[in-house]
C-alpha cells in the first residue's frame, strides 16, 4: 500500500544492488559477499515515496519490492549497459551495488582442467560505472555508496569528488551494527557541499527512507528541475 506522502512522485529513480559475477569459465566466477539488502531497501523506499523505481540487480536471494521494475544482470559489464539504458530520463541514480573492480582477463569457453601445481588468475579492471555516470551527468542527482574500514569520512569525501557525485553514503564496515549481510546499517551521508549527516544503527529499510528524506530536505526545491 502506498502512503499519502509521495515527494518523489513523477520522478524516475534508478537503483543498483547486489554483487556482480565475473565469469572464469562455464562453472566458476569471481564475486563478493554483497547481500543486496541495502539496495533493495533503497528501491522499496523510493517506491514508497512515490517514484517510478527501476532496480538493476546482480544475483541475490531477495524478493523484489512490489511495484518496482526489475532488471537482472550478472557482470559489471551487463550492469553498465543496463544503467546507461536507464540514465537519460532518470532524476535520481543510486549506486548501491558492490560492482567487481576486476574481472578475469580471459573467459574460458570450456571448463578449466586442473594441472599439477599452483595456478594464477589474471585480472583486468572493469569500468567504474559510477565514475562514467559522474562524467556524463546532466540533470541527474547521483548518489554513491562506499564501504571503508579507516578514515571513513575522508575517503568518502574523496570518492564523492573524484566520481563527481552529489551525495555519498559511507559505511564503516568494521562497525558491528552494519555491513554485508546485516539487516541493520550504520552510515554517514556526505553531500557535495561538505555536509556530513551521521545516522545511528537502524534497520536498512528504515534507514533507506531516512536517507531519501534527508537528501530531499538538503536539495530543497532544486529537485524540481531534475
Ligand atoms: N562502483 C561502480 N563501478 C565499479 C566499481 C564501483 O559503479 N566498477 C560504485 C559502487 O556501486 C559504489 C561506489 O562505486 O557506489 C564504490 O566506490 P569504489 O571506489 O569502487 O569503492 P571500492 O571498490 O571500495 O574502492 P577502493 O578500493 O578505492 O576503496
Amino acid at each position: 500500500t502506498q502512503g499519502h506522502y509521495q515527494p518523489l512522485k513523477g520522478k524516475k529513480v534508478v537503483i543498483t544492488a547486489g554483487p556482480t559475477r565475473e565469469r572464469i569459465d562455464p562453472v566458476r566466477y569471481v564475486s563478493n559477499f554483497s547481500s543486496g539488502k541495502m539496495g533493495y531497501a533503497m528501491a522499496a523506499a523510493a517506491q514508497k515515496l512515490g517514484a517510478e523505481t527501476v532496480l538493476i540487480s546482480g544475483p541475490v536471494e531477495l524478493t523484489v519490492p512490489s511495484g518496482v521494475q526489475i532488471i537482472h544482470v550478472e557482470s559489471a559489464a551487463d550492469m553498465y549497459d543496463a544503467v546507461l539504458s536507464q540514465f537519460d530520463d532518470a532524476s535520481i541514480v543510486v549506486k548501491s551495488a558492490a560492482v567487481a573492480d576486476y574481472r578475469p582477463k580471459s573467459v574460458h569457453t570450456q571448463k578449466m582442467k586442473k594441472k599439477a601445481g599452483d595456478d594464477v588468475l589474471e585480472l583486468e579492471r572493469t569500468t567504474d560505472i559510477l565514475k562514467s555516470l559522474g562524467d556524463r551527468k546532466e540533470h541527474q542527482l547521483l548518489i554513491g555508496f562506499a564501504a571503508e574500514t579507516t578514515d571513513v569520512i575522508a575517503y568518502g569525501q574523496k570518492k564523492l569528488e573524484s566520481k563527481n557525485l552529489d551525495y555519498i553514503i559511507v559505511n564503516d564496515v568494521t562497525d558491528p551494527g552494519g555491513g554485508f549481510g546485516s539487516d541493520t546499517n550504520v552510515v554517514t551521508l556526505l553531500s557535495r557541499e561538505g555536509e556530513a549527516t551521521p545516522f545511528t544503527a537502524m534497520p536498512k529499510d528504515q534507514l533507506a527512507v531516512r536517507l531519501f528524506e534527508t537528501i530531499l530536505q538538503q536539495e530543497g526545491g532544486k529537485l524540481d528541475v531534475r
Side-chain angles (χ1 to χ4, degrees), residues 206-226:
Q206 192 181 330
L207 176 63
V209 174
R210 294 272 183 88
L211 283 165
F212 273 118
E213 285 174 350
T214 307
I215 288 166
L216 288 169
Q217 236 166 44
Q218 293 192 8
E219 286 300 300
K222 285 177 288 178
L223 200 67
D224 292 346
V225 299
R226 297 190 186 268

Side-chain angles (χ1 to χ4, degrees), residues 183-206:
D183 287 322
T184 59
N185 213 356
V186 189
V187 303
T188 301
L189 175 71
L190 303 179
S191 76
R192 61 178 178 273
E193 263 84 45
E195 198 163 345
T197 313
F199 292 81
T200 53
M202 68 181 95
K204 287 178 175 176
D205 50 358
Q206 192 181 330

Side-chain angles (χ1 to χ4, degrees), residues 131-151:
K131 178 145 195 342
S132 314
L133 299 180
D135 290 342
R136 77 169 59 208
K137 80 170 177 186
E138 291 166 354
H139 58 277
Q140 294 90 347
L141 193 74
L142 200 53
I143 304 168
F145 273 78
E148 306 288 352
T149 54
T150 55
D151 301 303

Side-chain angles (χ1 to χ4, degrees), residues 95 97 99-101 126-130 144-145 147-148 159 163:
K95 283 239 60 202
V99 185
D101 291 320
T126 58
T127 304
D128 189 326
I129 303 170
L130 196 50
F145 273 78
E148 306 288 352
K159 272 180 200 174
K163 299 191 191 205

